[in-house]
Amino acid sequence: MPIPVRFSRCALLCMATLLAGAPEFALAQASDAITAPSTTPSQTFRTDRPQPESGTVPSDGVGVFDRMGAKLPDLPPEKEYKGTVDEAFGAYQRGYYLTAMDKALPRAQLGDPSAQTLIAEILSQGLGVKRDMKNAAFWYGKAAEGGDPAAMFKYALLLMEGNNVKRDKAKADEYMRKAADGGNSSAEFNWAQTLVADNPGDKGLKLALPYYEKAAEQGVADAQYAVAQIYQQVPDIPEEKKRLAREWMARAARAGFDTAQLDMGIWLVNGVGGPKDYVHGFEWLKLAANRGNVVAQNKLAHLYINAIGTPPDPIEAAKWYVLSRRAGLSDPSLEDFYLGIEDSQQKAAIEAANKFRRIN
């Protein structure tokens, strides 16, 4: 069953402070300038382009009209499953939570860690039964003792917070590490965060990198973002990994992580980790701005003023400045621009800002 990443993205972004002396790491800071274009926009790989919200990527192969009327090949026969059917998890997946509880409880009482984890999940979420965190903590603990990675992750969080169990950081760290080594993607990311927090500087980042990489491979967007930044900024990273930094940033951006979308846009405009591409850099920044990222809104105003990746548009520039200023991000240069445009343009920008609705 999927268990979400626990550490906040704020904690991930605070990792930037550990890269002292790396001038381009904190790209989400308002003070970081977007350099003006000096060459013709370069083409970039498709991985750098915004993808549809659904995540669907158009095929570059034979078009559907070319295949109309053609007989498609038969699907390969499905292999017969010969393993044991887990009735408890089957019931859980179909939404029959009480049935799942009835079938899992006898196994849990006999020491089956996966059944114990299932009982804990049902109790912790109140699925078909009254929510009961005290008993959920008990079963998470038993399953963690039995070596279930998902339970070790959840129990580590309870121990970290002192939630229905006695707070114990050392034990929490032990279980988080074991869950990470057991392949739980959320634990991999969280253990990486712990290593960074406990080991300031490049040392912590290098210790954490293998866990970030494992979580990134499993699709954790926050980990993909961390991998991209570490590949790009930490010294002594192999060149073959540095070349993948932009690809990892693009993965995090396509997953909907707005800070990754912001940084992807800035990387493309400034040529970080690959060739400059003003058009697609603009598109990533606009996507992040529409999702409510205040820094992206500020950067987008600059792009509209300087015609970087887009035709100049003073009203759009002023609109995005107004939105970022309302959110508390000051920018003297944009204020000078705003005061220098016509009253009618200011009025149109304010009306456009008032109509803005962020896209989730």
Side-chain angles (χ1 to χ4, degrees):
M1 64 203 70
I3 296 178
V5 171
R6 180 64 178 186
F7 271 84
S8 68
R9 284 178 170 174
C10 178
L12 175 63
L13 300 181
C14 289
M15 185 178 70
T17 61
L18 299 173
L19 287 160
E24 292 184 345
F25 182 83
L27 290 172
Q29 300 300 318
S31 59
D32 287 87
I34 294 178
T35 58
S38 58
T39 59
T40 304
S42 304
Q43 293 298 316
T44 59
F45 295 107
R46 179 167 302 220
T47 53
D48 296 334
R49 302 179 185 179
Q51 301 296 331
E53 286 295 317
S54 64
T56 302
V57 180
S59 170
D60 287 327
V62 178
V64 66
F65 292 109
D66 298 321
R67 294 306 304 268
M68 280 181 133
K71 184 180 184 302
L72 295 175
D74 295 330
L75 292 173
E78 191 171 322
K79 293 183 179 179
E80 182 183 356
Y81 177 71
K82 296 182 179 179
T84 303
V85 176
D86 192 319
E87 294 182 347
F89 277 91
Y92 177 88
Q93 290 170 341
R94 294 194 302 274
Y96 300 140
Y97 302 119
L98 291 179
T99 301
M101 175 80 85
D102 289 341
K103 291 186 177 296
L105 189 56
R107 290 166 45 193
Q109 291 169 334
L110 291 173
D112 183 335
S114 61
Q116 291 168 341
T117 302
L118 183 59
I119 295 292
E121 281 293 292
I122 292 172
L123 291 171
S124 68
Q125 297 181 51
L127 301 173
V129 296
K130 183 179 179 181
R131 189 169 183 265
D132 186 345
M133 279 306 303
K134 184 176 181 179
N135 275 316
F138 169 80
W139 286 113
Y140 277 133
K142 288 295 183 183
E145 290 173 9
D148 184 84
M152 287 192 287
F153 169 66
K154 278 293 186 75
Y155 196 55
L157 297 179
L158 297 178
L159 290 166
M160 206 180 295
E161 298 169 352
N163 185 3
N164 290 288
V165 295
K166 184 179 178 180
R167 191 175 184 277
D168 189 333
K169 184 182 184 307
K171 195 172 182 180
D173 285 352
E174 179 187 359
Y175 274 128
M176 190 66 76
R177 177 185 58 78
K178 287 182 177 179
D181 289 337
N184 181 279
S185 61
S186 295
E188 289 165 348
F189 174 77
N190 281 266
W191 181 238
Q193 294 286 83
T194 300
L195 289 171
V196 169
D198 292 348
N199 300 273
D202 288 350
K203 177 185 175 182
L205 293 169
K206 289 178 179 178
L207 287 172
L209 181 56
Y211 290 99
Y212 280 135
E213 289 173 326
K214 291 175 184 177
E217 290 285 358
Q218 295 198 62
V220 178
D222 303 66
Q224 293 168 343
Y225 177 83
V227 167
Q229 293 288 19
I230 293 172
Y231 280 2
Q232 179 59 34
Q233 297 297 336
V234 174
D236 305 323
I237 295 293
E239 190 60 35
E240 60 268 21
K241 287 191 173 185
K242 283 188 174 293
R243 287 195 292 267
L244 296 174
R246 186 183 278 191
E247 179 182 334
W248 281 115
M249 185 65 76
R251 290 193 190 187
R254 290 198 302 271
F257 190 177
D258 67 308
T259 302
Q261 294 167 348
L262 164 69
D263 286 3
M264 189 75 239
I266 294 176
W267 280 20
L268 287 168
V269 171
N270 287 344
V272 177
K276 291 184 178 182
D277 185 336
Y278 305 121
V279 172
H280 293 106
F282 168 82
E283 289 176 359
W284 277 118
L285 285 166
K286 187 172 183 181
L287 180 60
N290 275 310
R291 293 174 72 93
N293 187 292
V294 177
V295 178
Q297 293 171 346
N298 171 278
K299 301 298 186 190
L300 199 61
H302 284 283
L303 296 188
Y304 274 116
I305 292 170
N306 294 293
I308 301 176
T310 182
D313 190 329
I315 294 176
E316 275 293 296
K319 179 191 84 172
W320 290 112
Y321 168 58
V322 168
L323 288 168
S324 63
R325 184 181 63 184
R326 286 177 180 175
L329 182 55
S330 61
D331 187 322
S333 65
L334 286 181
E335 180 68 14
D336 289 344
F337 158 78
Y338 179 77
L339 295 175
I341 62 177
E342 298 176 2
D343 290 346
S344 60
Q345 292 175 317
Q346 290 182 3
K347 181 179 179 181
I350 291 173
E351 289 176 353
N354 290 339
K355 294 178 182 177
F356 173 76
R357 296 293 182 270
R358 63 179 290 177
I359 299 172
N360 294 320

